Amino acid sequence: SAVISQKPSRDICQRGTSLTIQCQVDSQVTMMFWYRQQPGQSLTLIATANQGSEATYESGFVIDKFPISRPNLTFSTLTVSNMSPEDSSIYLCSFLPGLNTGELFFGEGSRLTVL
Amino acid sequence: RKEVEQDPGPFNVPEGATVAFNCTYSNSASQSFFWYRQDCRKEPKLLMSVYSSGNEDGRFTAQLNRASQYISLLIRDSKLSDSATYLCVVNEGGTYKYIFGTGTRLKVLA
């Protein structure tokens, strides 16, 4: 199965700054997603990263705050913009190997703390 | 009402015990169902898919009741290594959106 790597694994950032998280898969995958897991909470889908076009955002998430790139079928980035302490969370990239709604694979996550 | 609801626990059980987790979902159009395991500070990983007929994988048994919109996970002969958070996950039919429950935390005690 494909291997997914995500970086940074953790970071501590100042309020008002932005951080870009990278996700690399070692083979081409059709569907890539970005999730957020706030402390003590479940995973919430931020957006679907579409290759070559704008990401599809879920309710409550907007492009200005969470711009996403997906230049090809193996790579995606999520930027958390103008951060506030409420953005402190774990951000996870994930992918589906094919178009069937089977197993969702996750990167190891990026633990973000905003001071 | 939450889309996917689970008892958060924690469930503290002795080694060798049998433990069951339940999960309810609100969208009757949901088509795919899963149990994921998440260890502390790690990413979620698939434990097993849940099929309408019920399915078993070693010590783990999953069942789905579509009429009641209810999913269960049974763990027999619990091991210390089973200690983790178990996430109930539901896929909405016709989409790639996976809805995660908040998870049930299990601690298996020596």
Side-chain angles (χ1 to χ4, degrees), chain B residues 33 48-56 61-66:
Chain B
F33 309 89
M48 58 196 304
S49 301
V50 186
Y51 304 118
S52 296
S53 55
N55 48 301
E56 186 174 310
T61 300
Q63 294 201 316
L64 168 64
N65 184 321
R66 285 187 184 272

Side-chain angles (χ1 to χ4, degrees), chain B residues 11-44:
Chain B
F11 284 57
N12 296 322
V13 303
E15 270 187 293
T18 295
V19 61
F21 305 141
N22 302 321
C23 169
T24 57
Y25 61 95
S26 61
N27 186 346
S28 60
S30 300
Q31 293 190 353
S32 304
F33 309 89
F34 310 89
W35 283 102
Y36 276 69
R37 169 185 171 139
Q38 186 172 27
D39 292 293
C40 187
R41 295 179 176 268
K42 297 287 188 180
E43 73 275 21

